[in-house]
Amino acid sequence: MLLTDRLHPGILEALAGAGHGARVLLADGHYPASTATGDRARTVHLNLTPGLLDVTTVLDVLLSALPVDSAQVMVPPEGEPEPPAIAEHRTRPAPVPVDTLGRFEFYDAACSPDLAPAIVTADTRTYANLLLTIGVRAEGTLSTR
């Protein structure tokens, strides 16, 4: 499923074992990764220091490495303003649809057994969490040796 070799070894291992329909969690530095991820998910910590590596940076690498069917963002409660990270996530994976989930709905989705890696970043923005669903490689994207 991978389209590039520019990945962290732990992420590469988790993605190599994932297939169509598996999910990838990109978590901000506030996300409760020890309690709100699937039992089979591999957690990869990229949070060396606050703000050093954010969800957007990891997303850009992943978008060049795997096909994405859909994406979901965690949104604040109704009536609260939409944080800038969400607006950014809406445009990044275009034309892939980006749906919204409330906080606890997002946690439930991330706890599903089809979560492959949970990638914890040092993103300090609120509501920067993103859940990707892996798609299928397009015809002609696989070269033979």
Side-chain angles (χ1 to χ4, degrees):
M1 291 289 205
L2 302 179
L3 303 175
T4 183
D5 58 357
R6 299 181 318 153
L7 292 174
H8 179 281
I11 297 171
L12 182 59
E13 179 183 3
L15 292 177
H20 178 242
R23 292 180 171 184
V24 178
L25 171 64
L26 301 178
D28 63 28
H30 312 287
Y31 193 85
S34 64
T35 59
T37 58
D39 291 338
R40 292 188 245 171
R42 175 179 177 137
T43 301
V44 178
H45 295 277
L46 300 178
N47 50 346
L48 179 63
T49 189
L52 184 61
L53 188 59
D54 63 17
V55 169
T56 304
T57 303
V58 176
L59 175 61
D60 288 344
V61 171
L62 291 181
L63 289 175
S64 72
L66 57 90
V68 176
D69 265 352
S70 64
Q72 298 169 310
V73 293
M74 178 193 291
V75 294
E78 193 171 323
E80 288 187 24
E82 183 175 277
I86 294 173
E88 186 173 295
H89 292 340
R90 288 184 195 282
T91 62
R92 279 305 221 251
V96 172
V98 179
D99 298 319
T100 60
L101 294 175
R103 181 174 147 209
F104 295 105
E105 292 172 300
F106 191 94
Y107 291 161
D108 288 344
C111 284
S112 71
D114 60 358
L115 184 68
I119 303 169
V120 181
T121 70
D123 204 328
T124 57
R125 298 174 297 173
T126 58
Y127 292 94
N129 305 300
L130 185 63
L131 194 58
L132 305 174
T133 302
I134 298 174
V136 176
R137 287 186 76 125
E139 291 288 327
T141 60
L142 182 61
S143 61
T144 58
R145 296 194 183 257

